[in-house]
Amino acid sequence: MLRLRATVSEADTDQVDTGATVLSDTALAEALADVADRGLADAVERTTARRSRAWILRAVMLIIAALVLAPGLSQMAHPPLGVAWQGFGEIEFADGRLRRIGRGNVTEAAWSPDGARIVVAASSGIYALDAATLRPIGYAAARAGTRLIGLSPDGSQIATWLDDALVLRDGVDLRPVFTATSKEWLGVSAVAWDWTSETLALGGPQGVALLKPRETSRSTLFPAAAGAARLRFSPDGAWLAITTATPETLLIRTDGASMFEIGGNSHPAIASDFSGDGRSLIGVFGHGVAVADLEAGSWKTKADRSGLTTFLWVSQDGKRAVVVDGAAIADAADLLTIDLETGQVTRRLRVPRDLHVGAMAVREDGAHALIVNADGLSIWDLNTGALVAASVDFAPPPGVILPTPVRFSDDGRHLVALDAYGGLRVMDATSGRIERALNENTDPFIDAVFSPDGRQLVADNDAGVGLRRLAPGDRSRQTEPALYGFDVASGRVTHVFPGARQPQFIAPSVMAYLPVERNELRSYNFSTATNQAWASVQAARIDAFAASVGPTRVAVLTDRTLELWDPGSGLVWRSPIALSEVDRVLLGRPLAISGDARLIAVAEPSLGIRIYAGDTGALRGVLAKPITVTFEASLENPLKAAISPDGRWIATVDNRPTLANTASSIMTVWRADTLRPSETRADDRERVTGIAFSPDSRRLVTMRSNYVIELIELP
């Protein structure tokens, strides 16, 4: 049986650098970048510190002047580029999880009452972050869709909800301290938790139910509140506000179990919240912001403004509110601070908006706003418009799934993997600590290989895989497909091979690759800088190749044949096959060969996963049946195969699409001598996008579409 390592530490370091400017004034952009960089990283004493402080002071004055002169107190929230975006963490992951590169999409976020911590619910779990550094200080594994329904007034606990379960967790380390669940709670449309009375409110088609799960499972039902869309307790727990599809907002007096309506609007509230003192209810409607006195029981419009989309914050005294105006311009939204006594906008922060906006939250004092979108997570000062902190850790994965291969270095000490931006991360293969982030101004990388001495890394960006942003806000650059050679120590690009694909090192300083013409194989010697034809392979069109090193053999895949070549003597054998046009455009390497060239694996949708004998070319077995692929869900080849260097193991991945166009991912490790499975694992949520064996054939590393790397120890 295969064994997972019990616990492996995780450390996060993400760096993204680019020189592009975001603001129109270059000096202002540089000043913002410098100030943000110093705010996000620990200060380092340098001999030029005194001169730097003077420069920064002048830069800050320039920023202040620009902000003061901005019309209408409006600031454009673009993260300055050129910043080394960093997120450090020391979190233990169980079940052999070695490393998470990127944390998925954040769906909800909340500040602790003291503003020192941020809690986010992401597709990869729940995180507690230090608000100043965005460093993770707590983590809890949780399924995607977990909701945050409140932090306790003292910040010591958080309440979460998923499906039919309420879980109260420690506010820092996020361990569960109380859980209540019932099958009757499945399918609720809205949920709220009151810390004062420890009351749970559940909205559903039968009405709103109030119960105290610590004491009893019995509940009080209010049928008139059927179809609740949102529930909100007042700070003292005395009131519960219920928003439905009707224009009336319902209020339940929890102590007397009575209910009444607040009318006066022609449309239902988009969102609502209580003032800190619990005396008034503030609602956002299609026409503006309105305030209701709870005793009077009616709305009074305070700000006529169309285009408002949600409500983020209300002050303790109920005199100020922060709302989101989505009608400003097509690709941005305004965070407006409104004086509820005069109805005037007193502050405006404009933030980029896209389809990946996950969450927004405002600190309790109304000074800072947290924004999560496709660029990651960032915190902004609402008074000045300045960037306070940022992290690309929470940039969501791309909508189209691409291959995310993971590779060992030849000494087995390092791994290289791709992050959600298509950039490269070099990490320690034991601890998971990221040692270097390598990026280039190119389309997303889809593969990367180490040189045998580990000093160079060559990455393949292939063709037509779209534009990769190098940092938050960067959407401006793209280049032609090419191979990029990186010096691992410095991170510099040392070589570029335009149009080339599929790099593989065949000697300590010699790399084989497929040139743009794809009718031959070529090799490049990094020591002598010589580039020449290799292995005497000739074909009208080569789709893929894989080389063994002892003895040197080259497996070549064309649209009609699988071939094995000896670089010294020529063609060894040729086996007829037939690839479909879809096979030939999907991304990912469909060929694998054992180190001794005795086994060859082909993984193509129209063929399935086939194993061939290296000496004769005879078909030894089929490990996965052919499948039909469409481009709606992915450009990635759903079938993958890897052979251990010693030829003992074969690992296969079958990401077979379901009727709902999702993937049912099956990873299997086979004994190569019998072609019988030794271990099989299935996952109906996250597909395996990369697999690789360690050089000693004792470990198998996998990477999933949620950017989790797992390390498996082999017998």
Side-chain angles (χ1 to χ4, degrees):
M1 296 292 289
L2 306 180
R3 294 177 290 108
L4 279 172
R5 291 185 176 180
T7 306
V8 187
S9 64
E10 182 224 36
D12 288 324
T13 303
D14 280 305
Q15 294 182 332
V16 182
D17 296 311
T18 178
T21 56
V22 172
L23 304 180
S24 57
D25 188 306
T26 304
L28 179 58
E30 293 175 351
L32 282 170
D34 185 83
V35 173
D37 189 28
R38 294 174 65 88
L40 293 173
D42 294 333
V44 179
E45 293 296 331
R46 296 183 175 89
T47 57
T48 56
R50 190 173 299 174
R51 199 180 325 170
S52 298
R53 284 195 296 268
W55 190 92
I56 291 172
L57 179 60
R58 290 194 295 271
V60 171
M61 296 301 295
L62 178 62
I63 295 170
I64 294 173
L67 299 181
V68 170
L69 294 175
L73 299 175
S74 176
Q75 308 301 331
M76 185 63 180
H78 279 309
L81 305 185
V83 177
W85 307 89
Q86 298 175 343
F88 298 94
E90 301 288 346
I91 300 177
E92 298 291 325
F93 286 92
D95 300 327
R97 292 190 173 184
L98 172 67
R99 168 72 201 180
R100 190 184 299 274
I101 301 180
R103 304 181 188 276
N105 193 17
V106 174
T107 54
E108 294 189 351
W111 293 79
S112 64
D114 60 5
R117 285 174 289 114
I118 296 168
V119 178
V120 298
S123 55
S124 59
I126 304 171
Y127 296 83
L129 310 175
D130 182 290
T133 64
L134 298 184
R135 173 176 178 163
I137 55 178
Y139 170 78
R143 285 170 45 201
T146 298
R147 297 182 54 193
L148 300 179
I149 56 174
L151 275 75
S152 62
D154 61 2
S156 64
Q157 292 187 3
I158 68 168
T160 63
W161 177 268
L162 179 66
D163 295 338
D164 60 353
L166 167 74
V167 181
L168 304 184
R169 301 176 180 272
D170 182 89
V172 178
D173 62 26
L174 304 179
R175 71 182 188 280
V177 296
F178 174 77
T179 300
T181 182
S182 171
K183 293 182 179 179
E184 296 180 356
W185 299 349
L186 277 171
V188 298
S189 57
V191 61
W193 173 255
D194 174 48
W195 295 97
T196 304
S197 62
E198 295 191 323
T199 299
L200 178 66
L202 301 173
Q206 306 303 319
V208 170
L210 299 181
L211 66 151
K212 296 180 182 293
R214 286 188 185 270
E215 301 175 6
T216 178
S217 60
R218 298 180 60 185
S219 62
T220 302
L221 182 66
F222 293 84
R230 284 171 294 276
L231 301 174
R232 194 77 172 181
F233 278 105
S234 61
D236 59 3
W239 298 93
L240 176 67
I242 305 168
T243 303
T244 66
T246 64
E248 293 77 21
T249 296
L250 306 178
L251 277 177
I252 293 177
R253 183 76 185 186
T254 57
D255 54 1
S258 59
M259 185 177 74
F260 63 92
E261 296 178 352
I262 298 181
N265 275 295
S266 57
H267 300 283
I270 299 171
S272 61
D273 200 0
F274 290 91
S275 60
D277 57 16
R279 295 181 178 179
S280 56
L281 183 69
I282 294 86
V284 172
F285 299 85
H287 57 75
V289 181
V291 179
D293 184 283
L294 299 186
E295 300 300 332
S298 62
W299 294 104
K300 180 180 179 181
T301 300
K302 291 294 183 180
D304 291 320
R305 192 176 197 91
S306 61
L308 300 184
T309 59
T310 192
F311 177 86
L312 296 180
W313 172 83
V314 62
S315 62
Q316 177 74 17
D317 58 9
K319 295 182 178 180
R320 291 177 298 143
V322 175
V323 298
V324 178
D325 182 357
I329 56 177
D331 59 350
D334 288 343
L335 271 63
L336 307 178
T337 301
I338 296 179
D339 186 320
L340 295 178
E341 293 187 323
T342 65
Q344 298 299 309
V345 175
T346 60
R347 299 179 303 190
R348 181 195 307 268
L349 177 70
R350 179 158 292 175
V351 298
R353 182 179 59 175
D354 50 47
L355 297 178
H356 297 287
V357 172
M360 293 184 179
V362 174
R363 201 169 70 182
E364 191 164 300
D365 61 3
H368 287 173
L370 177 150
I371 300 166
V372 182
N373 57 18
D375 296 329
L377 184 152
S378 55
I379 298 176
W380 299 87
D381 188 315
L382 287 175
N383 292 311
T384 66
L387 174 68
V388 177
S391 171
V392 295
D393 276 355
F394 292 98
V400 176
I401 297 176
L402 300 173
T404 51
V406 56
R407 309 278 187 200
F408 278 96
S409 61
D410 274 26
D411 60 8
R413 297 173 56 189
H414 296 90
L415 291 166
V416 62
L418 276 68
D419 63 12
Y421 280 85
L424 305 175
R425 299 292 183 262
V426 178
M427 66 196 74
D428 184 282
T430 301
S431 67
R433 177 177 294 276
I434 287 184
E435 298 181 348
R436 181 161 295 281
L438 303 176
N439 294 283
E440 180 55 21
N441 188 27
T442 126
D443 291 339
F445 293 123
I446 63 165
D447 201 359
V449 293
F450 282 103
S451 62
D453 60 10
R455 295 180 179 180
Q456 282 204 300
L457 196 149
V458 179
D460 183 356
N461 74 348
D462 202 19
V465 285
L467 174 62
R468 175 167 65 86
R469 291 180 299 235
L470 297 180
D474 181 13
R475 298 177 171 84
S476 59
R477 307 178 183 180
Q478 57 185 338
T479 62
E480 294 300 319
L483 297 181
Y484 287 80
F486 291 89
D487 178 79
V488 175
S490 66
R492 293 185 304 105
V493 174
T494 59
H495 297 76
V496 176
F497 302 83
R501 301 179 59 222
Q502 300 182 27
Q504 181 177 348
F505 279 87
I506 54 175
S509 60
V510 181
M511 177 191 71
Y513 67 92
L514 190 60
V516 64
E517 297 82 9
R518 304 180 71 167
N519 60 354
E520 64 175 352
L521 296 179
R522 299 194 65 81
S523 68
Y524 180 81
N525 190 312
F526 285 88
S527 298
T528 62
T530 56
N531 194 342
Q532 61 189 17
W534 178 69
S536 304
V537 175
Q538 297 290 329
R541 174 186 168 94
I542 299 174
D543 286 286
F545 79 98
S548 65
V549 293
T552 302
R553 296 288 186 270
V554 187
V556 174
L557 187 65
T558 74
D559 62 335
R560 297 180 181 275
T561 61
L562 172 66
E563 304 170 358
L564 186 70
W565 290 74
D566 183 326
S569 59
L571 181 67
V572 178
W573 52 258
R574 177 180 285 126
S575 179
I577 60 171
L579 298 182
S580 70
E581 286 301 316
V582 173
D583 292 341
R584 304 180 71 183
V585 298
L586 292 175
L587 302 175
R589 292 201 182 189
L591 264 184
I593 189 170
S594 62
D596 57 9
R598 295 178 62 184
L599 293 174
I600 298 170
V602 179
E604 291 281 20
S606 64
L607 302 175
I609 299 178
R610 298 184 179 187
I611 305 300
Y612 291 84
D615 53 353
T616 65
L619 179 65
R620 281 195 53 191
V622 177
L623 304 185
K625 296 179 180 180
I627 59 176
T628 302
V629 207
T630 61
F631 293 108
E632 283 81 0
S634 175
L635 297 175
E636 176 203 29
N637 184 346
L639 300 179
K640 304 182 188 303
I643 304 174
S644 64
D646 64 4
R648 293 176 58 215
W649 304 102
I650 301 172
T652 63
V653 173
D654 186 345
N655 292 322
R656 196 167 295 269
T658 65
L659 293 177
N661 210 17
T662 59
S664 175
S665 188
I666 301 173
M667 194 276 290
T668 307
V669 178
W670 310 76
R671 297 192 65 90
D673 54 353
T674 63
L675 294 187
R676 292 183 177 179
S678 174
E679 185 88 355
T680 298
R681 299 180 184 182
D683 191 325
D684 60 357
R685 292 185 298 143
E686 302 291 348
R687 66 172 68 193
V688 175
T689 54
I691 52 173
F693 285 96
S694 62
D696 61 6
S697 301
R698 298 178 62 181
R699 293 172 294 172
L700 175 69
V701 64
T702 70
M703 188 164 182
R704 296 185 178 273
S705 55
N706 60 352
Y707 296 88
V708 170
I709 296 174
E710 295 182 278
L711 198 65
I712 300 171
E713 292 185 346
L714 303 171

